[in-house]
């Protein structure tokens, strides 16, 4: 399978690079742009970014392996991130995580990101999402949800088509 | 800025005017300003509110700050997990550009400025200013050794750089409007202005509340109907984490000797933890800090061992791994707490935890993360030692010999 970045995305990326006096600075923004488009960062994407920014692939790869938001494997169409840290834990985030896992047929005790067999949903615990006042909080792709009861969780799942 | 007495709202509480005065203006290199919007200290959620509800306040504060420091290019480093915030800021920047508040020759002044949004990608260590700079340079966010890499002299691209928190930069707008002296009348001496307190945990009305610094006590913030509205029915206070998860915990009923001026004389006043004025200096005197002004309330239904295990797991996950004491220490502490919360504890775990925690900070690591991961362990175990020992002992006795 060949790796092609669509022309409009490449134009967007070229514009992003102009934001920085040193091209390398654009690495994270490019990784975000490609992950949003392809769903994950493949080796081809890493090499593509490196070439674009005049870097060695390792300079990009070391970012993918360090920053928790980047993933090297595809995830579900909808990625559910439940906050694990203290205020949300006090507010019931472990029960919420378990609720999602049980509902979607995933293992509530497994470590890291898990994806349903049909590739529709991924569920993972993440660290503090900065919404501690309305615990428990979560994200479903780009959407941030606060005070998520189990009923609200079902509603969120229901809206994912 | 110096007259205003504004202290950084990110965590360290350093004088903002002084920080600006350190900037090397004679190097001939460009000066950069970075807004630290990588809000990720557990318990803190004020910057998200500012960005979502009033992005222009931040942009105005940044423009003024850049003008004052002769900055031509500035960045807003926002958490990767706030994609909506990044979009809102980009839209607001576009509006500002359209009105020529940004760009070339701003309002005919001859001054040029551009601000860009840069997204992080889920790493807590990017909140550390030199880690943030490395990240903005497109590298792993490994904090730099200070000295020589003080951002004011050798920051972004080895140029003089100012890194300020979102809330700090918002205050700049008000300081310029009101005048420094007038701003300094808000709050209390040496703790001027207002601050947004993020209140979470087990209270009736968690939320964000703006107070004049030091004009409300911790007790008022928890119990006053205008703020937290008290604990949940039938609960008793157990502890308070007063300034983000890194700050040392305060135990209910703890007393501190606070230095106060009474009729011109310095006297020590015994103060209950609930009566501590919520400001930088009082909390420092109580052996903790107001940090990012995030209060997490714990009542008597929680198990403090679980609480510490949760926090330690966070730090073990977020240590950047550069310095051995922090990388290994934070993981050991988390593993020890994991066994204590999974029926596999040992009687000596309390002492063992403190031994590890004592060996991380104090100049053994490049950045303050070493302190940040040790302080909760040191303070929780010191103040609730019985809980930790009891758990370990019970596990040991339940195990077959």
């Amino acid at each position: 399978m060949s790796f092609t970045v669509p022309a409009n995305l490449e134009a967007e990326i070229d514009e992003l690079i102009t934001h920085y006096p040193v091209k390398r600075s654009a690495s994270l923004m490019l990784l975000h742009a490609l992950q949003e488009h392809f769903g994950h960062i493949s080796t081809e994407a890493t090499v593509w970014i490196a070439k674009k920014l005049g870097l060695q692939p390792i300079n990009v790869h070391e970012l993918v392996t360090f920053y928790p938001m980047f993933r090297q494997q595809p995830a579900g169409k909808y990625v559910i991130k439940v906050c694990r840290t203290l205020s949300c834990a006090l507010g019931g985030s472990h029960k919420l995580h378990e609720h999602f896992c049980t509902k979607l047929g995933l293992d509530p005790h497994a470590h890291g990101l898990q994806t349903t067999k049909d590739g529709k949903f991924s569920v993972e615990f993440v660290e503090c999402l900065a919404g501690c006042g309305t615990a428990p909080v979560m994200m479903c792709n780009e959407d941030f949800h606060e005070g998520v009861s189990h009923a609200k969780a079902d509603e969120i799942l229901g809206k994912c088509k | 800025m110096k007259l205003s007495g504004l202290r950084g709202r990110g965590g360290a509480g350093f004088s903002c005017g002084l920080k600006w005065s350190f900037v090397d203006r004679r190097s001939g290199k460009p000066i950069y300003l970075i807004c630290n919007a990588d809000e990720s200290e557990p318990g803190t959620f004020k910057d998200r509110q500012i960005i979502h509800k009033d992005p222009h306040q931040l942009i105005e504060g940044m423009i003024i700050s850049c003008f004052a420091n002769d900055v031509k290019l500035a960045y807003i480093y926002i958490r990767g997990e706030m994609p909506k915030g990044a979009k809102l800021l980009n839209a607001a920047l576009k509006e500002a550009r359209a009105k020529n508040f940004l760009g070339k020759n701003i309002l005919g002044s001859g001054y040029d400025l551009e601000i860009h949004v840069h997204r992080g990608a889920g790493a807590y260590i990017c909140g550390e200013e030199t880690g943030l700079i490395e990240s903005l340079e497109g590298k792993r966010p490994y904090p730099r050794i200070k000295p020589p890499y003080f951002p004011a002299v050798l920051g972004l691209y080895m140029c003089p750089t100012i890194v300020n928190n979102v809330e700090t930069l918002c205050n700049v707008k008000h300081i310029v409007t009101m005048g420094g002296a007038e701003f300094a009348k808000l709050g209390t001496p040496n703790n001027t202005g207002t601050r947004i307190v993020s209140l979470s945990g087990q209270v009736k009305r968690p939320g964000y509340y703006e107070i004049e610094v030091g004009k409300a006590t911790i007790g008022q913030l928890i119990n006053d109907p205008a703020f937290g509205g008290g604990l949940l029915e039938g609960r008793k206070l157990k502890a308070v984490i007063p300034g983000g998860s890194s700050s040392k915990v305060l135990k209910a009923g703890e007393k501190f000797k606070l230095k106060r001026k009474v009729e011109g004389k310095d006297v020590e006043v015994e103060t209950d933890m609930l009566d501590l004025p919520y400001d930088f200096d009082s909390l420092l005197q109580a052996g903790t800090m107001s940090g990012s002004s995030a209060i997490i309330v714990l009542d008597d239904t929680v198990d403090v061992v679980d609480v510490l295990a949760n926090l330690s797991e966070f730090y073990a996950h977020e240590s950047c791994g550069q310095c051995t004491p922090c990388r290994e220490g934070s993981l050991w502490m988390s593993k020890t707490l994991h066994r204590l919360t999974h029926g596999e504890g040992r009687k000596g775990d309390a002492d063992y935890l403190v031994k590890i925690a004592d060996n991380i900070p104090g100049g053994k690591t490049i950045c303050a993360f070493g302190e940040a991961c040790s302080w909760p362990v040191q303070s929780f175990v010191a103040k609730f030692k019985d809980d930790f020992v009891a758990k370990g002992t019970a596990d040991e006795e339940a195990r077959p010999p």
Side-chain angles (χ1 to χ4, degrees), chain B residues 14 16 82 85 106 109 133 154 177 206 210 225 355 357:
Chain B
F14 192 75
C16 183
M82 297 184 180
I106 294 172
S109 62
I133 288 170
L154 293 170
T177 313
E210 187 171 15
K355 190 179 156 196

Side-chain angles (χ1 to χ4, degrees), chain B residues 259-278:
Chain B
K259 287 196 184 92
R260 284 276 172 264
K261 270 209 187 319
V262 177
E263 291 167 4
K265 279 186 219 154
D266 286 324
V267 289
E268 284 192 340
V269 185
E270 192 173 77
T271 312
D272 185 86
M273 53 85 81
L274 284 178
D275 299 325
L276 288 170
Y278 198 67

Side-chain angles (χ1 to χ4, degrees), chain B residues 20-212:
Chain B
W20 289 9
S21 74
F22 292 154
V23 170
D24 184 354
R25 288 175 168 75
R26 292 186 193 156
S27 66
K29 298 183 202 168
I31 301 169
Y32 295 105
L33 184 139
I34 307 169
C35 167
N36 185 344
D38 190 59
E39 176 166 67
S40 35
E41 175 77 11
T44 320
F45 50 98
K46 64 190 176 67
D47 296 341
R48 176 194 283 279
Q49 300 303 332
I50 296 172
I51 290 165
H52 277 244
K53 304 216 160 95
D54 195 359
H56 281 293
Q57 183 178 188
L58 170 62
I59 292 168
E60 193 176 343
M62 280 185 78
I63 296 170
I64 298 166
S65 305
C66 289
F67 181 73
N69 289 292
D70 199 23
V71 172
K72 303 280 191 322
L73 183 56
Y75 294 95
I76 303 173
Y77 188 107
I78 187 168
R79 275 192 79 169
E81 295 92 331
M82 297 184 180
K84 286 271 158 72
K87 280 185 181 146
L88 280 167
L89 283 169
N90 272 322
L93 287 169
K94 205 172 158 192
E95 287 167 357
R97 262 177 227 126
K99 297 243 179 198
N100 191 219
F101 296 148
L102 279 175
K104 298 266 177 227
N105 189 21
I106 294 172
L107 303 178
S109 62
Y111 173 62
D112 304 340
L113 170 67
E114 196 45 79
I115 301 177
H116 295 297
V117 174
H118 182 91
R119 292 182 62 202
Y124 170 76
I125 199 65
C126 294
E128 200 277 349
E129 60 180 7
T130 59
L132 185 151
I133 288 170
E134 287 283 305
S135 178
L136 186 47
E137 288 187 0
K139 303 171 190 163
R140 281 189 171 194
Y142 290 149
R144 296 175 177 172
I145 294 174
K146 292 149 277 197
Y149 299 113
F150 291 113
V153 183
L154 293 170
L156 185 62
Y157 312 124
M158 293 299 137
C159 295
T161 304
I162 298 165
V163 184
N164 280 143
N165 171 260
V166 171
E167 194 185 353
T168 311
L169 289 164
C170 287
N171 272 298
V172 173
K173 166 196 149 69
H174 302 288
I175 290 165
V176 169
T177 313
M178 298 166 72
E182 200 58 35
F183 180 89
K185 287 181 189 163
L186 290 168
T188 50
N190 204 36
N191 297 272
T192 59
T194 68
R195 239 190 141 177
I196 303 174
V197 181
S198 311
L199 183 67
S200 70
Q202 294 159 313
V203 285
K204 280 199 186 113
R205 283 166 30 97
Y208 50 96
Y209 300 102
E210 187 171 15
I211 60 162
E212 283 190 52

Side-chain angles (χ1 to χ4, degrees), chain A residues 19-20 25 32 129 142-143, chain B residues 48 75 84 118 136 157:
Chain A
H19 294 184
Y20 306 92
S25 279
H32 277 302
L129 286 175
E142 288 209 347
D143 295 323
Chain B
R48 176 194 283 279
Y75 294 95
K84 286 271 158 72
H118 182 91
L136 186 47
Y157 312 124

Side-chain angles (χ1 to χ4, degrees), chain A residues 66-133:
Chain A
F66 187 94
Y67 291 90
M69 279 182 78
F70 300 128
R71 48 179 178 260
Q72 297 177 69
Q73 305 298 332
K77 187 177 170 198
Y78 296 96
V79 179
I80 290 164
K81 298 178 183 208
V82 180
C83 176
R84 188 207 66 85
T85 322
L86 186 57
S87 296
C88 282
L90 293 170
S93 64
H94 283 77
K95 288 243 163 67
L96 180 63
H97 179 262
E98 196 181 327
H99 180 75
F100 277 120
C101 290
T102 320
K103 190 117 192 165
L104 298 170
L106 301 168
D107 176 7
H109 303 293
H111 195 74
L113 182 121
Q114 302 178 74
T115 306
T116 54
K117 284 202 184 93
D118 61 0
K120 190 170 174 191
F121 291 103
S122 289
V123 179
E124 67 175 332
F125 257 142
V126 293
E127 297 298 346
C128 188
L129 286 175
C132 324

